[in-house]
Amino acid sequence: MTELHPVEFFRHGLGPAELASVQETLGSLFLTLGPRVGRFEERFAQLLGAPHVIGTSSCSMSLILTLRALGVGPGDEVVTTPMTFVATSNAVLHVGATPVFADIDAATGLIDVEDAARRIGPRTKALIVVHLYGQLCDMRALRALCDRHGLALIEDAAHAVEAERDGVRVAELGDATTFSFYATKSLTSGDGGAIAVRDAQLAARLRGLRNHGVSKDAAARHGGSYAHWDLLELGYKAAMTDVEAALLLPQLDRVWERQARRAALAQRYLELLADVPEVRCIPWEGRSAHHLFPVLVPPGQRDRVLAELGSRKIGCAVNYRSVHTLHYYREELKLRREALPIAADFGDRVLSLPLWPDLPPEDLPVVVEALRAALRDAER
Ligand SMILES: *Cc1c(COP(=O)(O)O)cnc(C)c1O
């Protein structure tokens, strides 16, 4: 028995700069919806090249706020992908609308644009696409499709801060783009999120909706004598805090360096996995954010392989089992596995290998050897 060499699935890279930034915030007046949130919004907008950014409490709430701001509600349908985290389609259900899943591209796992087109009907109000694993969807084709049918285009960019493809960047062609700063994401404040939009009116509506729907936020109410605020519409408690913004601000300086490190590791995985014929890697076009490194294993072997990798202390995850195969969706939307065969198969075969900027490159051969051994054992 060879000695175990544990490899962690993910580690955040937060350190002294983030600590100092939070410490400074604790000595200041505002802990939420204050100047640091504003500064983060400005700097994140610059990084993306987007006109407006609204800081929120999560990507999940960002999606709900966006659907509400776009007027999507009961009786409406939203076409989306089942190869995502449940938050994407849950948001559609939370606003009372119906998610309509399109199948995916078997190679990339991204929404199949032609199948999405087929799922558009008279009740369809919007499309939510997911830049899965960090690969940008075919945004030119999706924008054209949405324009043809008068639909809003929402990008779930929880994986894809740095993505670009065909000269199009994340948040460039969508009407709204949502981000996650959850604990395992590339930029993180434990929890937190953002929405990037191009339209000033939509941005103003979202700013209201994230703060209950009131007419003024805390910083705007501060100073001078008390002035009444009003409730303009029924909103949510979903704002970013200044502590979260303080954690995020120093990370913005390292975004590209960290993306480059993940890209180099992904390239190395590809080289090593070329020698493991049972494993299929997911190709990427243009600049991927390389948020995750997923592979597909032969049908029927994934769960055995996961158990083997676990026993060898290699951290792994599944991103994702297709949403339409999960209990709630099967029951609530009466969805059969066979309705979306490509997503069902992909979701049964995919697993994610360790990938984070400071992952020691010498751990990669350890992971790949463990995977090779796990596949060999799983075959028996
Ligand atoms: C993480 C994730 C979300 C949810 O993000 P939260 O910030 O945790 O709400 C939504 N969509 C995708 C694709 C994700 O990976």
Side-chain angles (χ1 to χ4, degrees):
M1 181 82 193
T2 52
E3 209 180 314
L4 283 178
H5 177 122
V7 181
E8 206 66 65
F9 178 67
F10 177 78
R11 269 186 201 280
H12 67 72
L14 308 189
E18 287 74 24
L19 187 61
S21 178
V22 168
Q23 205 154 16
E24 200 187 305
T25 307
L26 298 187
S28 76
L29 190 58
F30 289 97
L31 293 181
T32 192
L33 281 178
R36 281 169 182 80
V37 173
R39 206 174 308 152
F40 170 76
E41 291 174 336
E42 217 167 277
R43 287 202 48 206
F44 195 55
Q46 274 167 9
L47 183 126
L48 297 170
H52 310 279
V53 165
I54 298 99
T56 66
S57 56
S58 68
C59 184
S60 305
M61 283 310 299
S62 297
L63 287 163
I64 292 171
L65 298 175
T66 297
L67 289 167
R68 275 287 309 279
L70 291 168
V72 177
D76 297 333
E77 292 179 354
V78 176
V79 173
T80 189
T81 172
M83 185 42 60
T84 182
F85 184 56
V86 289
T88 314
S89 47
N90 282 1
V92 178
L93 291 170
H94 279 304
V95 301
T98 304
V100 174
F101 293 114
D103 215 336
I104 58 167
D105 180 285
T108 62
L110 298 174
I111 194 166
D112 177 335
V113 181
E114 280 171 27
D115 197 47
R118 283 191 287 274
R119 312 263 174 177
I120 293 169
R123 291 169 181 273
T124 310
K125 282 282 169 63
L127 232 76
I128 306 179
V129 300
V130 177
H131 304 311
L132 192 68
Y133 312 137
Q135 342 157 66
L136 205 75
C137 294
D138 183 350
M139 288 305 294
R140 286 187 198 278
L142 287 161
R143 184 72 260 176
L145 177 66
C146 286
D147 288 347
R148 220 158 41 238
H149 294 272
L151 308 178
L153 177 54
I154 301 166
E155 303 175 52
D156 178 338
H159 296 183
V161 170
E162 306 91 343
E164 177 173 337
R165 171 179 167 185
D166 308 326
V168 178
R169 292 191 55 184
V170 73
E172 189 173 333
L173 296 185
D175 296 293
T177 304
T178 64
F179 295 90
S180 172
F181 308 124
Y182 176 66
T184 55
K185 301 303 204 279
S186 298
L187 276 173
T188 182
S189 45
D191 255 322
I195 314 169
V197 297
R198 294 180 298 155
D199 182 74
Q201 261 180 316
L202 183 57
R205 180 102 192 268
L206 287 166
R207 279 186 203 287
L209 280 171
R210 77 169 168 185
N211 189 30
H212 306 281
V214 302
S215 51
K216 278 185 182 174
D217 64 28
R221 293 205 301 269
H222 176 259
S225 49
Y226 186 89
H228 287 297
W229 48 266
D230 203 357
L231 183 69
L232 303 178
E233 64 176 320
L234 190 62
Y236 301 82
K237 171 83 182 172
M240 176 176 278
T241 72
D242 277 52
V243 178
E244 288 163 345
L247 280 166
L248 291 165
L249 277 161
Q251 295 174 62
L252 295 179
D253 297 330
R254 305 197 301 272
V255 164
W256 297 111
E257 177 210 324
R258 287 165 63 79
Q259 185 274 345
R261 290 214 218 170
R262 292 193 302 276
L265 291 167
Q267 196 58 46
R268 184 77 187 117
Y269 265 133
L270 277 193
E271 290 161 17
L272 293 166
L273 287 165
D275 285 340
V276 190
E278 306 94 313
V279 167
R280 216 182 78 210
C281 296
I282 316 284
W284 59 85
E285 270 187 56
R287 181 175 66 219
S288 172
H290 294 292
H291 172 57
L292 292 166
F293 193 88
V295 296
L296 296 172
V297 298
Q301 297 198 10
R302 197 262 315 277
D303 292 356
R304 279 283 313 276
V305 168
L306 277 176
E308 288 286 335
L309 289 170
S311 71
R312 290 173 162 87
K313 297 277 182 266
I314 307 294
C316 289
V318 173
N319 307 96
Y320 301 91
R321 288 189 295 157
S322 184
V323 170
H324 83 288
T325 66
L326 302 178
H327 174 84
Y328 184 81
Y329 280 85
R330 287 199 319 263
E331 297 291 313
E332 202 69 13
L333 297 182
K334 305 279 174 263
L335 287 168
R336 289 168 308 109
R337 243 189 94 78
E338 309 80 60
L340 299 150
I342 303 172
D345 174 68
F346 193 101
D348 283 353
R349 292 171 55 199
V350 75
L351 67 96
S352 303
L353 301 177
L355 183 72
W356 35 284
D358 301 316
L359 175 63
E362 58 271 24
D363 281 1
L364 266 57
V366 178
V367 174
V368 171
E369 276 321 301
L371 180 59
R372 194 199 304 273
L375 281 160
R376 199 178 52 219
D377 294 349
E379 260 166 27
R380 283 207 295 259

